[in-house]
Amino acid sequence: RPSETYLAAHASLLFPGATAVCSLSARADTFWAPPGTVFHLKSSRFPRLRFGAEADPLLLSRFEQARLAYWLAATRPRVVLCEYLQVAVAAAGVCARLGIPLVAHSHGYDLSAQLRVPGWSEHYSRVLPHLPAVIIVSPYFRETLERLGVPPARIHVIPCGVSVSGAGLRRRHTASPAASGVAAGRLVAKKGPILLAESIRLIRQTLPEFHCRVIGDGPFQEPLRQYLMAHRMESGVELLGAVGHERALAEIARSDILLQHSVTAGDGDQE
């Protein structure tokens, strides 16, 4: 469930009450979207038709493209925001035919690991330079987009963030041997969850009472659990799993330190 905190914020806050969501998966539990707005493009109720080389990179068949066009014509959006550049590539042709401006929003994976997949550099170069705007969350990826042919004036750096109003955050001015930490994020390779655990192990060598809560789930949840067991750290690190936004803010507010690792994963995935 990648970046759903930010998808939820975009869906609910950019145009409150005036946003419709099209999901390219058949999942019925798109819990982050405003109620009653989700159109599942790839629905299990419809057959998957494919047309070989004529299918786009996300394997949207002609049938699926027609369904997307029908939905867009019915909802008549002023602009389409595509989360992830792969989705923008898939939807660009339909939006162009309907005359609807399309803005692409990158989230890191699409400009790092995805570019290692043969053919995707060409797909990006074919589509992205013609869009009115491409949003990236870090200046780090600006050069990558420029190499793909996107005009600099159409590249917009808008860092991801979440609202912390009302969370009761405050700066601590004194250190304590019993300080607590919190880490929040999906447990994937680029978040370095094992490095996080190793950092906590080193901290506890000096501050044995230090305690950390880890928010999030993902493919590294079980390896992280195994690491904690192997180093007898279960009492010092609490794995909370995935929690809602309000719970996450509450955990951050009652902690002394926010811990965050970011590394380049083996497949090239970056923040």
Side-chain angles (χ1 to χ4, degrees):
R1 298 184 176 184
S3 300
E4 292 198 355
T5 297
Y6 305 122
L7 304 192
H10 295 166
S12 61
L13 300 178
L14 286 179
F15 294 97
T19 298
V21 176
C22 177
S23 170
L24 269 69
S25 75
R27 279 177 44 193
D29 61 337
T30 312
F31 65 88
W32 47 264
T37 65
V38 180
F39 170 72
H40 292 284
L41 182 62
K42 295 182 180 178
S43 171
S44 58
R45 295 172 51 204
F46 297 92
R48 292 298 310 279
L49 304 180
R50 299 181 182 179
F51 295 86
E54 296 183 21
D56 67 34
L58 283 183
L59 297 180
L60 293 187
S61 67
R62 287 178 178 174
F63 179 68
E64 289 163 336
Q65 291 181 42
R67 291 190 69 224
L68 176 60
Y70 179 83
W71 180 76
L72 288 172
T75 55
R76 294 188 297 176
R78 294 173 56 187
V79 64
V80 169
L81 174 65
C82 283
E83 307 281 1
Y84 296 94
L85 302 186
Q86 305 98 306
V87 178
V89 170
V94 174
C95 289
R97 289 194 292 273
L98 294 175
I100 302 173
L102 184 155
V103 174
H105 195 305
S106 168
H107 287 278
Y109 179 91
D110 42 16
L111 281 176
S112 54
Q114 190 68 34
L115 278 176
R116 293 191 178 188
V117 179
W120 273 95
S121 178
E122 291 75 15
H123 291 316
Y124 285 167
S125 294
R126 173 175 56 85
V127 172
L128 300 183
H130 306 288
L131 301 181
V134 180
I135 298 171
I136 51 179
V137 298
S138 167
Y140 179 84
F141 290 112
R142 179 183 291 276
E143 184 178 339
T144 302
L145 282 179
E146 291 179 359
R147 287 200 305 267
L148 292 168
V150 180
R154 298 185 184 181
I155 301 172
H156 302 270
V157 180
I158 305 177
C160 281
V162 296
S163 174
V164 296
S165 60
L169 301 182
R170 63 187 188 279
R171 183 180 296 276
R172 311 293 204 274
H173 294 284
T174 58
S176 168
S180 67
V182 63
R186 184 160 164 76
L187 299 181
V188 294
K190 68 179 176 181
K191 299 289 187 181
I194 304 302
L195 289 176
L196 169 68
E198 174 66 8
S199 299
I200 297 170
R201 187 182 70 82
L202 294 175
I203 291 173
R204 285 172 58 85
Q205 289 180 358
T206 304
L207 301 173
E209 297 179 60
F210 180 80
H211 180 271
C212 183
R213 293 175 298 281
V214 178
I215 299 171
D217 62 11
F220 272 75
Q221 187 172 37
E222 187 56 32
L224 177 58
R225 193 186 311 278
Q226 294 297 326
Y227 180 96
L228 298 177
M229 292 176 59
H231 292 82
R232 299 180 180 179
M233 294 173 57
E234 302 99 310
S235 62
V237 180
E238 185 178 0
L239 303 183
L240 301 181
V243 303
H245 183 62
E246 296 303 322
R247 169 76 185 280
L249 285 181
E251 294 294 342
I252 292 172
R254 72 187 187 98
S255 300
D256 300 293
I257 304 170
L258 176 67
L259 297 96
Q260 171 67 52
H261 276 80
S262 293
V263 299
T264 300
D267 64 355
D269 189 12
Q270 295 174 277
E271 299 280 17

